[in-house]
Amino acid sequence: MKKQLLYFSIFFLITVLASAQDEDIDRSNSPFAEPRYHYFLQTILLYNEYLDTKNGSYNTTNLRVLQPIGNKAWNLRFDLPLISTNSNSINQTGLGDVSAGISFIPYFKKTSGIGLRTRVISNSAADPSFGTGKWVVIPAGIFAKYFNQKKFLWLATVEHSQSFAGSSNRSDVSVTLFENNLLWFFGKNWIATDVAFRYNYVLDGFQNNTFMEFGRKITPTNLVYVHPSVAFGGEKSYNFGMEVGLLVLF
């Protein structure tokens, strides 16, 4: 059943992409060209996320590379996470689950757009506590729209994470996400709010979170941001967190 879901997701994505038609529009006017969520330039994102959990702390330092291909409606993504955990006075650090993905934007105009994305997270963590122990596929759909003369940007994302291989001793991954992100731009700064609802089918409960983000463009091609977050729901995976990031566009 899980493999059938994987094949269906891939078939659905290929079908949609094959039928989508690219529009001859200046991509710099698209909401997907916004530097905080850039799809049309080579981008390096380096961030550190600290999470406080009931069993200690979980810290991720992640290097993400975004590489446009073709007519730049396509975008490749690679993530290389370094994980540190601290529980019962035991500190551990090592490589997490490396992932790769591809995004495609079949439709956009000056104020709105639709994006499709599929990621695969590998079972590559150096220690069982640094990853899920599973191979996971994550198909997603994204809707983006500008408001009020491009001062506000709304991004809505629906995605599903499903494991399809890996250790039989680890729990399956089956989580559906619905996320809403609203950004307000003023000068070189932005403020964002985000609410993400996650339902974990394995745990039969919600693992939601929300955050506020404060960002600034420090050079024409470099941006920094910080966002504190808090989790809520009956099966929340952490208590509160803090993420700090640097984006380099080139």
Side-chain angles (χ1 to χ4, degrees):
M1 178 63 183
K2 296 174 184 177
K3 290 186 177 180
Q4 289 176 342
L5 178 60
L6 171 63
Y7 298 150
F8 173 78
S9 300
I10 296 173
F11 175 78
F12 174 77
L13 180 61
I14 293 174
T15 302
V16 172
L17 300 187
S19 61
Q21 295 183 359
D22 188 31
E23 299 185 32
D24 187 15
I25 301 174
D26 182 4
R27 298 186 186 281
S28 63
N29 290 324
S30 164
F32 289 111
E34 180 58 45
R36 179 62 181 92
Y37 294 92
H38 216 301
Y39 284 80
F40 304 125
L41 287 180
Q42 292 173 311
T43 306
I44 294 176
L45 169 60
L46 180 64
Y47 71 82
N48 188 84
E49 181 185 41
Y50 169 87
L51 300 177
D52 175 79
T53 75
K54 63 181 180 180
N55 296 318
S57 64
Y58 193 89
N59 193 83
T60 302
T61 301
N62 190 67
L63 175 64
R64 178 177 301 163
V65 178
L66 301 177
Q67 174 64 55
I69 57 176
N71 60 6
K72 295 187 178 181
W74 295 84
N75 185 288
L76 297 176
R77 167 178 164 176
F78 302 95
D79 286 82
L80 184 66
L82 183 67
I83 309 297
S84 296
T85 61
N86 184 354
S87 60
N88 299 322
S89 301
I90 299 176
N91 298 315
Q92 300 181 86
T93 300
L95 183 67
D97 288 337
V98 177
S99 68
I102 185 167
S103 302
F104 179 66
I105 302 172
Y107 167 84
F108 68 81
K109 290 190 176 181
K110 292 183 178 180
T111 59
S112 62
I114 295 174
L116 301 172
R117 179 181 66 212
T118 295
R119 295 174 57 213
V120 174
I121 301 178
S122 66
N123 178 20
S124 56
D127 185 272
S129 62
F130 298 156
T132 65
K134 296 288 187 176
W135 284 78
V136 182
V137 62
I138 312 176
I142 307 163
F143 175 76
K145 185 174 180 60
Y146 277 121
F147 294 96
N148 193 18
Q149 299 178 338
K150 295 188 177 182
K151 292 182 180 178
F152 294 89
L153 174 62
W154 171 46
L155 294 105
T157 302
V158 177
E159 72 176 31
H160 181 75
S161 304
Q162 183 65 52
S163 58
F164 60 94
S167 173
S168 60
N169 296 323
R170 302 294 297 276
S171 298
D172 290 337
V173 176
S174 185
V175 179
T176 295
L177 163 72
F178 175 58
E179 182 175 17
N180 279 278
N181 193 342
L182 181 65
L183 297 97
W184 171 37
F185 305 102
F186 53 100
K188 296 182 179 180
N189 309 296
W190 76 84
I191 296 177
T193 61
D194 184 282
V195 180
F197 298 97
R198 291 179 180 84
Y199 186 77
N200 189 316
Y201 296 92
V202 176
L203 299 178
D204 192 22
F206 286 93
Q207 297 179 309
N208 311 320
N209 76 290
T210 183
F211 69 72
M212 288 284 295
E213 181 173 283
F214 307 91
R216 179 175 176 82
K217 182 183 291 186
I218 54 177
T219 74
T221 57
N222 294 279
L223 303 88
V224 295
Y225 69 88
V226 56
H227 73 232
S229 67
V230 61
F232 62 99
E235 296 293 338
K236 64 182 183 181
S237 57
Y238 71 101
N239 299 315
F240 61 87
M242 177 67 70
E243 179 178 324
V244 178
L246 168 68
L247 291 104
V248 179
L249 311 176
F250 61 98

